[in-house]
Amino acid sequence: MKKNTPPTRMELLKLQKKKKLAEKGHTLLEKKRDALIHEFLQRIETYKQLKKDVYADLQDAYTTLHITQALNGVDIVKSIGDSQKPTFNIEQDQQNLMGITVPTYNVKTKKPSQNIDLLGTSKEVKKSRKDFQNVVIQIIKLAEIEEVIYLLAEEIKKTKRRVNSLEHIKIPGMKNQEKKIKRQLDELEREEFTRLKKIKERL
């Protein structure tokens, strides 16, 4: 209510309606915040496990690479690696997660451009290539989850600010304004009653 707006029943009803909407919005935002936090914690657990798996698989891939280099020679393995074209494509898309636009990455593998079994190398060469290909796919998935976690965290902070603003500033302000209007209306009614009483006494 504006400073110069007279306290009326109409203004009181408008304010009460706004307060009711604010309280409903506050409840909905609290539910959204809790759901976001739940989703955030789930993604964190998934991220932790996947990160652990990636490190383990990466260590295995490097072990295989060292064996491959020992059996075939570092220069030969490097030459094979340099001659290979990318064996997968990354397709980026988006999806809606609780009102947030988050990225998704789809990895589509392709056959190698060259049959490395024909190069006179050991089977470890092919296994090493396959191991690193799998690790790269996992790293891409890890990056996707990491970005989703970041976006969820930002949305949680934004939602918390809105909840706190309604809870500690806007709704209390409306309640105080409501009390003030009611008090002013009561005073006006008393004044009107006193005025009518005096008129009645004069008649």
Side-chain angles (χ1 to χ4, degrees):
M1 189 178 70
K2 295 179 181 179
K3 290 183 178 180
N4 297 328
T5 304
T8 63
R9 293 289 173 189
M10 184 63 72
E11 289 297 327
L12 180 60
L13 289 172
K14 286 181 182 179
L15 181 61
Q16 288 173 334
K17 187 177 180 180
K18 283 175 66 177
K19 186 188 73 171
K20 190 175 180 180
L21 286 172
E23 288 171 339
K24 185 178 180 180
H26 176 262
T27 301
L28 291 173
L29 282 171
E30 279 189 319
K31 288 181 180 179
K32 180 183 177 180
R33 177 201 60 196
D34 294 343
L36 284 167
I37 291 172
H38 178 72
E39 185 69 29
F40 176 82
L41 294 175
Q42 281 190 324
R43 299 277 174 158
I44 286 289
E45 288 304 312
T46 303
Y47 177 79
K48 286 180 180 178
Q49 185 58 52
L50 183 57
K51 190 174 182 179
K52 185 178 177 181
D53 294 342
V54 167
Y55 277 120
D57 291 345
L58 193 59
Q59 189 173 12
D60 290 343
Y62 272 109
T63 299
T64 302
L65 177 62
H66 292 151
I67 294 171
T68 303
Q69 290 173 332
L71 292 172
N72 300 276
V74 175
D75 291 338
I76 291 176
V77 173
K78 185 177 184 303
S79 177
I80 293 170
D82 291 340
S83 68
Q84 296 296 299
K85 293 181 180 179
T87 55
F88 54 83
N89 288 326
I90 303 173
E91 295 179 355
Q92 184 176 358
D93 202 354
Q94 293 178 334
Q95 69 174 9
N96 188 291
L97 176 63
M98 301 179 68
I100 314 167
T101 301
V102 299
T104 58
Y105 300 106
N106 299 316
V107 180
K108 294 193 175 181
T109 56
K110 303 185 294 184
K111 289 183 179 180
S113 58
Q114 194 172 4
N115 189 342
I116 55 178
D117 288 336
L118 299 179
L119 299 176
T121 57
S122 66
K123 63 181 181 180
E124 278 76 19
V125 173
K126 189 173 182 179
K127 184 178 185 306
S128 184
R129 179 188 61 80
K130 186 67 176 174
D131 287 350
F132 275 100
Q133 183 186 62
N134 291 336
V135 170
V136 170
I137 292 171
Q138 284 182 299
I139 290 172
I140 292 167
K141 185 63 181 175
L142 196 65
E144 177 189 308
I145 296 175
E146 193 173 80
E147 192 167 352
V148 171
I149 287 171
Y150 170 79
L151 292 170
L152 281 169
E154 289 299 305
E155 189 67 20
I156 288 169
K157 286 193 287 186
K158 190 192 301 180
T159 305
K160 278 184 175 180
R161 284 197 296 268
R162 293 174 67 189
V163 168
N164 290 335
S165 176
L166 285 168
E167 185 175 340
H168 300 295
I169 300 172
K170 292 185 178 179
I171 293 175
M174 289 178 184
K175 286 181 177 179
N176 289 335
Q177 202 172 18
E178 182 183 15
K179 288 178 183 178
K180 183 179 178 181
I181 292 175
K182 284 181 177 179
R183 188 168 60 248
Q184 289 174 322
L185 287 173
D186 288 341
E187 288 175 2
L188 289 172
E189 285 180 1
R190 282 195 297 271
E191 288 175 4
E192 181 66 13
F193 176 77
T194 302
R195 189 180 68 81
L196 291 174
K197 186 179 180 181
K198 287 181 179 179
I199 292 173
K200 188 177 180 181
E201 288 173 353
R202 291 176 183 175
L203 295 176

